[in-house]
Amino acid sequence: MARLFLKAPLAILAEGAEGGLVVENGRIAELVRSGGEPSAPVDETVDASAHVVLPGLVNAHHHFYQTLTRAHPAAVDKELFPWLQALYPIWARLDPESFRLSVRLALTELLLSGCTTAADHHYLFPPGLDRAIDIEAEEARGLGIRVTLTRGSMNLSAKDGGLPPDSVVQDEDEILVDSERLLSTLHEPGEGAMVQVALAPCSPFSVTKSLMEKSASLAARFDARLHTHLGETEDENRFCLERFQCRPVDYLEEVGWLGPRTWLAHGIHFTSEECRRLGAHRVGVCHCPTSNAVLASGFCPTAELEAAGSPIGLGVDGSASNDSANMMEAVRHALMINRLSRRSASAMTARDAIRWATEGSAACLGRADIGRIAVGAQADLALFTLDELRFSGAHDPIAALVLCGATRADRVMVAGLWRVLDGRPVGVDLAKLRREHGEAARRFA
């Protein structure tokens, strides 16, 4: 593969790369110091003097299908449990065509915001949509974005004491057979993987203890990761106490999930002692600041969790609780919300928020080959310009992306290939996608 030199960026989030970087064979081959030149000839040089270069952003928690039900009248202005109860019957109408469009739009939206790797938590498999994860893999490969596809599941319906209706749950055997199939056929282990699979029973209030235990055993057999929602609301804490006679973190340990293979979504309502336990076991936590604010779920104790040893990542969460899928927007919200919750402007910096959205999220997904600009790392890069009015007068280009509110990347590279050029996704007809997705979404009114 040709050697590409990104020359003299306006700013770059890497020490010793002020002069740019060289990409070869899908990896970062060389960092170039200020005023320097590559150590060997290159085949192409890209003038990056107008660009701020970040590692590709990594979205550690999402629900792609929810792009079909943004700002839905049945669910707006509700907190988590009533919000879910309003939307479950609507989501039960998902079909392969509408689902495929929801995934394509979500991934395109993420790419445009500078995201190069996305983890999706899909747990709805109504009749006819049994191959939902396969559809996600096909769409991701077509767009050239990396994904961790978590095979979600729900098997505890309202009639058995759970939250979801019967129409959206599956039985345990069906879930485990499909989980093993996906791990056997789609999961790519090792560095450079484009598609990985994790197992993700949805939440304590929608799955049985048996399914949690068997999913942990299956993930261990395939050296795959585990994911679930935990500690999102006080309602969840009360549910666990009533059904399992313990709090969510105790439950996590009881079912064999308290370990470095696990990363959690939200993690809001943990005590200080629970934060220490999670950190000691290196359980990752994906912070979802926007949806936490929209649903008024609370503040994630990120400082305590990180100090205890938990990797902290960042996620946009579902596009019906965000109601966006923009990673740069999530980075800005993380900064603002964490300064507010900590009551300190100095306790959280713009670079901290970017770190969560890159290295932190990568750690949650168990990957050391993405989320940073370093020799040998995957060439996943997000390039932003500062030519909009909002950036005029900004003196720190990297901080400006967060503080001034960057929302759209000019160029995005995944595995050494351009996937966004001049602010447009390569190979995607945006007008057609918007029209077709909009038509599909109207069926969920």
Side-chain angles (χ1 to χ4, degrees):
M1 187 180 289
R3 281 169 57 85
L4 171 69
F5 178 30
L6 290 179
K7 183 177 181 178
L10 176 64
I12 185 168
L13 194 61
E15 290 187 16
E18 295 79 8
L21 59 85
V22 177
V23 171
E24 185 176 14
N25 295 324
R27 295 176 180 264
I28 297 170
E30 184 179 354
L31 303 183
V32 179
R33 295 193 174 277
S34 179
E37 292 291 333
S39 60
V42 298
D43 302 288
E44 183 183 355
T45 298
V46 174
D47 179 6
S49 60
H51 290 97
V52 182
V53 183
L54 300 183
L57 305 180
V58 180
N59 175 24
H61 183 68
H62 203 163
H63 306 291
F64 295 160
Y65 73 92
Q66 290 183 15
T67 59
L68 295 163
T69 54
R70 302 188 216 244
H72 199 288
V76 293
D77 306 326
K78 288 184 167 75
E79 295 180 7
L80 180 66
F81 275 22
W83 177 86
L84 282 168
Q85 289 167 329
L87 287 171
Y88 277 142
I90 297 169
W91 293 335
R93 305 202 303 265
L94 276 173
D95 60 84
E97 179 190 2
S98 60
F99 179 71
R100 185 179 291 278
L101 287 166
S102 75
V103 173
R104 189 178 304 165
L105 188 130
L107 288 171
T108 302
E109 191 177 357
L110 286 167
L111 271 172
L112 288 171
S113 71
C115 178
T116 54
T117 301
D120 188 59
H121 188 180
H122 187 76
Y123 50 81
L124 285 164
F125 297 85
L129 197 60
D130 54 310
R131 298 183 73 82
I133 307 300
D134 305 77
I135 290 172
E136 291 190 312
E138 290 166 9
E139 290 299 317
R141 288 185 174 123
L143 290 166
I145 186 172
R146 295 186 204 275
V147 285
T148 294
L149 303 175
T150 76
R151 204 299 182 183
S153 52
M154 298 194 295
N155 73 329
L156 185 68
S157 69
K159 71 175 175 56
D160 297 316
L163 194 71
D166 289 350
S167 58
V168 295
V169 300
Q170 297 176 293
D171 67 56
E172 181 182 283
D173 289 343
E174 184 180 9
I175 290 164
L176 293 170
V177 166
D178 192 51
S179 296
E180 184 163 0
R181 177 186 70 83
L182 292 166
L183 287 165
S184 300
T185 59
L186 292 182
H187 182 59
E188 302 170 12
E191 292 190 6
M194 294 299 293
V195 176
Q196 294 196 323
V197 174
L199 300 186
C202 185
S203 62
F205 51 81
S206 60
V207 300
T208 60
K209 183 177 179 180
S210 172
L211 181 59
M212 291 288 284
E213 293 170 335
K214 290 177 182 177
S215 294
S217 297
L218 186 57
R221 181 148 62 90
F222 282 87
D223 194 24
R225 297 188 78 74
L226 292 164
H227 184 51
T228 193
H229 298 91
L230 205 79
E232 186 173 359
T233 64
E234 290 289 8
D235 286 337
E236 181 193 307
N237 283 352
R238 284 189 288 271
F239 180 92
C240 286
L241 285 167
E242 290 170 9
R243 186 172 182 88
F244 307 117
Q245 292 76 54
C246 64
R247 285 175 57 84
V249 175
D250 298 318
Y251 178 64
L252 206 68
E253 184 167 26
E254 215 172 279
V255 295
W257 278 54
L258 199 62
R261 193 185 304 282
T262 299
W263 91 100
L264 309 172
H266 300 289
I268 297 168
H269 297 282
F270 296 145
T271 66
S272 294
E273 188 273 333
E274 288 168 341
C275 288
R276 288 192 290 273
R277 283 171 66 193
L278 290 166
H281 291 278
R282 298 296 186 266
V283 175
V285 176
C286 178
H287 177 37
C288 302
T290 308
S291 65
N292 291 352
V294 169
L295 298 174
S297 300
F299 297 108
C300 177
T302 51
E304 285 187 83
L305 286 163
E306 194 163 41
S310 285
I312 300 295
L314 202 61
V316 301
D317 199 12
S319 296
S321 63
N322 185 306
D323 292 64
S324 176
N326 190 304
M327 272 299 287
M328 277 307 299
E329 182 183 73
V331 170
R332 188 168 193 258
H333 289 170
L335 176 69
M336 303 303 176
I337 285 174
N338 281 273
R339 284 186 172 183
L340 182 63
S341 66
R342 300 178 191 185
R343 293 183 172 85
S344 170
S346 61
M348 178 81 185
T349 70
R351 285 168 172 77
D352 287 331
I354 294 172
R355 175 173 53 80
W356 285 350
T358 52
E359 289 183 68
S361 286
C364 283
L365 302 185
R367 300 193 64 161
D369 59 333
I370 60 174
R372 60 199 177 96
I373 296 175
V375 173
Q378 294 294 307
D380 294 3
L381 304 166
L383 283 66
F384 297 83
T385 60
L386 303 182
D387 54 3
E388 296 176 67
L389 293 180
R390 72 180 69 195
F391 299 113
S392 185
H395 296 273
D396 180 337
I398 291 173
L401 293 179
V402 183
L403 295 171
C404 303
T407 58
R408 191 151 175 166
D410 182 60
R411 287 185 171 221
V412 177
M413 175 182 284
V414 185
L417 299 174
W418 292 118
R419 298 304 183 181
V420 174
L421 283 171
D422 299 324
R424 299 188 66 82
V426 175
V428 178
D429 183 335
L430 286 177
K432 181 173 182 284
L433 176 58
R434 174 65 181 88
R435 182 177 68 254
E436 292 179 347
H437 181 275
E439 290 171 356
R442 281 192 284 277
R443 300 199 292 272
F444 294 83

